[in-house]
Amino acid sequence: MKIRKANLDDIKTISKIYIDTWRTTYNGLVPDNFLNELSYEEAESKWTHFLSDQLHQTFIYVAINNSEEIIGFAAAQNSDDIEFKGELYALYLLPKAQGLGAGRLLISAIAEHFMKKGIFSMLVWVMKNNNSGRGFYKRLGGQYYSHRESVFGGTRVEDEAYGWKDISRLFVK
């Protein structure tokens, strides 16, 4: 498995993974009509804009399997939070790529990128009812930090933030 920084040529694949993974991961957590209305075209616009957001110094890494297929991605940006200077904005893996270490490798790449920029702390927001996501971040040493509410399709969901005050331990050499 390889991890590399994403470029604009990857946006179509990133967008497909994003939409398809939302529809499986968040099924039952957000309304069906919200999931059904997700659009590949809107996702492409979202991720193209994200990748070019210089204000937040955004970046994306992709995981590539042995067949040279992108199987997941992680996106990150600088954070305005007082305690955590980096934010893992998104981490999505195709179902067939889950449990193979791709998520861990992507987070390692994000941590390395931040550390090279002088950022040594990071947080991530995850839906409170996304037990597998919360469990993954806890296994990586993420500590509960805060909570908020988000609205999807008119439904309020609770989010929790998990943070790492020292991301150097997330970096795998």
Side-chain angles (χ1 to χ4, degrees), residues 22 25-30 124-138 144-152 155-162:
W22 253 87
T25 303
Y26 301 116
N27 186 26
L29 300 180
V30 299
V124 62
W125 287 97
V126 60
M127 280 186 201
K128 185 175 182 177
N129 289 335
N130 179 354
N131 293 324
S132 63
R134 287 177 43 242
F136 175 72
Y137 297 123
K138 287 178 184 179
Y144 174 83
Y145 173 57
S146 186
H147 69 278
R148 69 180 183 194
E149 283 190 351
S150 298
V151 178
F152 298 98
T155 298
R156 291 187 184 279
V157 297
E158 292 182 64
D159 297 326
E160 292 183 343
Y162 290 85

Side-chain angles (χ1 to χ4, degrees), residues 7 11 29 52 71 74 82 87 96 99 105-106 108 122 136 143 145-146 159 171-172:
N7 58 56
I11 293 297
L29 300 180
S52 63
I71 56 171
I82 295 169
E87 178 182 357
K96 68 181 179 182
L105 291 173
L106 285 165
S108 176
M122 177 175 76
F136 175 72
Q143 298 292 312
Y145 173 57
S146 186
D159 297 326
F171 175 58
V172 179

Side-chain angles (χ1 to χ4, degrees), residues 54-121:
Q54 294 184 8
L55 176 65
H56 294 100
Q57 298 183 27
T58 56
F59 56 96
I60 302 172
Y61 281 85
V62 293
I64 302 169
N65 67 12
N66 294 337
S67 301
E68 297 299 314
E69 172 190 16
I70 295 175
I71 56 171
F73 73 96
Q77 63 186 2
N78 288 359
S79 169
D80 295 330
D81 189 83
I82 295 169
E83 290 190 50
F84 298 96
K85 299 304 177 192
E87 178 182 357
L88 175 61
Y89 180 79
L91 174 64
Y92 293 100
L93 298 170
L94 293 173
K96 68 181 179 182
Q98 294 175 6
L100 302 177
R104 179 76 175 94
L105 291 173
L106 285 165
I107 288 189
S108 176
I110 296 291
E112 180 182 22
H113 184 105
F114 274 140
M115 290 186 303
K116 285 180 179 176
K117 300 289 185 188
I119 294 173
F120 299 96
S121 61

